[in-house]
Amino acid sequence: MLTRRGFSQAFGAVAIGAAAGGLGAALMPAGRAWSATQLPPRAVAGGGREVAVTLQAAPFRGTLPAFSGTAADLWSFDAAQPFPPVIRVRIGDTLAVTVRNRIPAGQEEMTVHWHGIRLPNDQDGVPYLTQAPIPPDGEGHYRFTPPDTGTYWFHTHCNTVESIGRGLIGILVVEGDETRPYDGDHVLALKDWRIGPDGFLPFMTDAGAARGGTFGTVRAVNGVTRPVIPVAAGGDVRLRLANVDATRVPDIGIVGAEAAIIAIDGAGIPPVPLTHWRMGPGMRLDLVVRAPKPGAQARLVDYFAPEPVELAVLAGHGEMLERGPFDPAPLTKPVIPEPDLAGAVFMPVAISATASGRAAAEIAGAAEAGGPVSPLCLSQRTFWAIDRQPWPNRGHQVLPPPLAQLDRGRTYLFELRNGTPHVHPMHIHGHTFRVVSSSTGAVLPHFADTVLVAPKERLQVAFVADNPGKWMFHCHIIEHQETGMMGYMTVA
Ligand code: C2O
Ligand code: CU
């Protein structure tokens, strides 16, 4: 039986140096502790297969349970499992993907980006930066061997507000990180839908793009509002949460069951009790939950609302498994290179609004408050216009200058400084950050490819620039990304 002291030691084991600091008391309930304080190394890889997958990106008129009977013009990568398609491979496997672009209009520049995967640059799926787009009716190919286990996802990298809005995403699971089999493994794709009486509502609005984004009208998990998910009663079940929404930042909690965070953005951490965890668009969170007794229920909730919103119900199913006191099994240790903080190159990165963005936000605020609104500004469609401007875009354009030119092999310490009144999930391609410190207090030491930066926060993240190429760096609130909060870095 570990005491509170055991707990701090447990955290000490994963903290990196002094930079990580202590941890908030909220993360460490007294009197509870689990045995795993360090992660075992990954066992020798199985895998070695080639897994061939065809993704046929195509529209279909249909409905999802969350739409309550309304039909809408959905897009999907897979007619057989429209939302979400799930690809599962083992670590060591090579994924060979054929993408057929059967989207008739609006997605002429289709590419598929493998979010969070540290892959070779020419497989990263960014139009013009890393590949020529797949033309309508054309076919594209991706081939890579994921180096990391965990929960990932994929999406297009152009016209992404619309393509995510219509459901064109998929989940990629790389297996092989478990040290003990769990009693279930469930993918939960968190995405709301902008659905009105006649189908989808506009996916992007000036007011949304200039502020926190344009939110869905119905909340949903796997296309279902408040799904009831049967879980092995009494067992330790793994939930793979992926926030594939373009906008929403839920504050995830579990009510009615013990739960632990075991991985963030695919990368294992020693199990930490889940109190609540804010998940920006693009982020993933792997949990182990002690499933309720047969017939009993637990709830996945979003606390980021005056009244917690129930996202899903976990219903204990089958015969009661006897698993003893909750002591969640850890995953294996990530193989992501540890940044060399002592030798890091420090780079401040300002996250800010443009003058027109601030103006649009003010207009939206005035409209909401019933104040005077300038019709001229409202008619400008500032954000759509910007959407067409910045790179990547139509035609063969000249690249903007990179945000930074990084030396291959060096550690970089980015200080993300949020000068806006909104939270931004900042995402890097081809690399994974170590979250180092925050001006707002202690951080849970972990790796991530997408990090939330709160208003006024200065968040430090470090990574080894070990992957040569041109890599996007952008906000994953897609309306922000498509109205300018996007750039790229070179590693050479
Ligand atoms: Cu999901 Cu450029 O990212
Ligand atoms: Cu943003």
Side-chain angles (χ1 to χ4, degrees):
M1 172 62 73
L2 287 179
T3 61
R4 187 177 196 147
R5 187 163 152 266
F7 235 107
S8 354
Q9 285 171 343
F11 280 104
V14 293
I16 44 160
L23 281 163
L27 293 169
M28 290 186 279
R32 293 174 55 215
W34 300 322
S35 49
T37 58
Q38 291 194 17
L39 301 180
R42 184 195 287 170
V44 183
R49 301 173 305 168
E50 172 159 320
V51 179
V53 173
T54 298
L55 300 175
Q56 171 140 327
F60 70 103
R61 179 86 182 160
T63 190
L64 292 173
F67 303 175
S68 321
T70 303
D73 294 311
L74 289 145
W75 293 354
S76 177
F77 283 116
D78 185 354
Q81 43 168 356
F83 190 88
V86 178
I87 299 174
R88 280 184 186 262
V89 297
R90 295 277 307 167
I91 190 70
D93 287 346
T94 295
L95 190 59
V97 185
T98 300
V99 178
R100 297 202 185 115
N101 181 2
R102 297 292 181 267
I103 305 282
Q107 202 63 45
E108 295 87 346
E109 304 195 334
M110 175 172 287
T111 56
V112 177
H113 168 59
W114 308 92
H115 182 119
I117 304 281
R118 299 184 300 128
L119 40 55
N121 194 237
D122 60 0
Q123 304 302 302
D124 195 43
V126 179
Y128 303 113
L129 191 72
T130 70
Q131 69 166 96
I134 307 166
D137 281 324
E139 203 170 275
H141 300 274
Y142 296 91
R143 189 189 166 84
F144 56 91
T145 308
D148 302 305
T149 50
T151 307
Y152 302 90
W153 68 297
F154 52 95
H155 56 81
T156 69
H157 219 280
C158 181
N159 189 27
T160 312
V161 170
E162 178 175 13
S163 70
I164 290 183
R166 295 190 188 279
L168 188 63
I169 62 99
I171 305 291
L172 173 59
V173 170
V174 184
E175 297 177 342
D177 54 4
E178 297 186 0
T179 59
R180 194 164 82 204
Y182 300 112
D183 297 308
D185 181 317
H186 305 265
V187 168
L188 277 65
L190 275 46
K191 179 182 148 31
D192 304 337
W193 303 85
R194 282 186 55 75
I195 190 91
D198 307 312
F200 287 127
L201 301 169
F203 297 110
M204 186 152 169
T205 63
D206 289 351
R211 302 196 293 175
T214 304
F215 290 86
T217 54
V218 292
R219 307 292 308 262
V221 173
N222 295 347
V224 186
T225 297
R226 200 176 160 275
V228 177
I229 301 166
V231 289
D236 285 347
V237 300
R238 179 173 188 172
L239 304 184
R240 300 175 181 268
L241 276 58
N243 184 352
V244 302
D245 198 76
T247 311
R248 178 95 53 189
V249 184
D251 195 14
I252 293 296
I254 295 275
V255 176
E258 292 180 284
I261 302 175
I262 52 169
I264 296 169
D265 285 0
I269 57 169
V272 180
L274 171 69
T275 53
H276 61 102
W277 188 259
R278 287 194 77 187
M279 254 187 112
M283 295 166 68
R284 287 88 60 218
L285 183 70
D286 283 48
L287 305 176
V288 172
V289 177
R290 172 56 59 86
K293 292 202 266 290
Q297 295 186 335
R299 282 166 180 76
L300 177 75
V301 299
D302 174 6
Y303 287 116
F304 199 70
E307 278 298 311
V309 177
E310 267 185 36
L311 299 176
V313 174
L314 306 173
H317 183 79
E319 261 177 47
M320 181 70 181
L321 300 171
E322 297 299 339
R323 293 287 180 257
F326 186 52
D327 186 13
L331 299 176
T332 54
K333 192 170 156 51
V335 298
I336 299 160
E338 253 332 312
D340 161 29
L341 288 181
V345 179
F346 179 76
M347 296 182 104
V349 180
I351 299 169
S352 57
T354 61
S356 57
R358 281 194 299 273
E362 266 169 37
I363 291 162
E368 235 162 53
V373 170
S374 150
L376 178 70
C377 290
L378 272 184
S379 66
Q380 272 178 342
R381 303 293 301 164
T382 311
F383 303 100
W384 283 112
I386 294 172
D387 183 25
R388 299 294 173 195
Q389 282 298 325
W391 177 94
N393 212 313
R394 293 179 195 288
H396 296 84
Q397 274 158 287
V398 180
L399 295 180
L403 295 172
Q405 291 176 280
L406 310 181
D407 292 338
R408 187 175 178 183
R410 288 203 86 150
T411 289
Y412 290 84
L413 179 65
F414 281 11
E415 184 169 281
L416 308 177
R417 299 175 172 174
N418 185 353
T420 79
H422 301 284
V423 68
H424 301 285
M426 300 306 295
H427 171 53
I428 190 171
H429 285 210
H431 297 80
T432 308
F433 297 131
R434 161 77 72 190
V435 177
V436 174
S437 70
S438 163
S439 59
T440 65
V443 296
L444 175 69
H446 67 279
F447 284 110
D449 53 66
T450 310
V451 290
L452 274 177
V453 194
K456 299 208 172 78
E457 184 178 11
R458 294 187 310 281
L459 182 74
Q460 292 191 340
V461 292
F463 66 102
V464 183
D466 64 344
N467 200 353
K470 293 176 179 149
W471 301 106
M472 300 299 299
F473 176 70
H474 62 85
C475 181
H476 223 287
I477 290 178
I478 309 295
E479 285 163 281
H480 293 177
Q481 175 191 0
E482 293 197 342
T483 55
M485 201 176 278
M486 166 158 70
Y488 73 99
M489 307 175 290
T490 60
V491 176

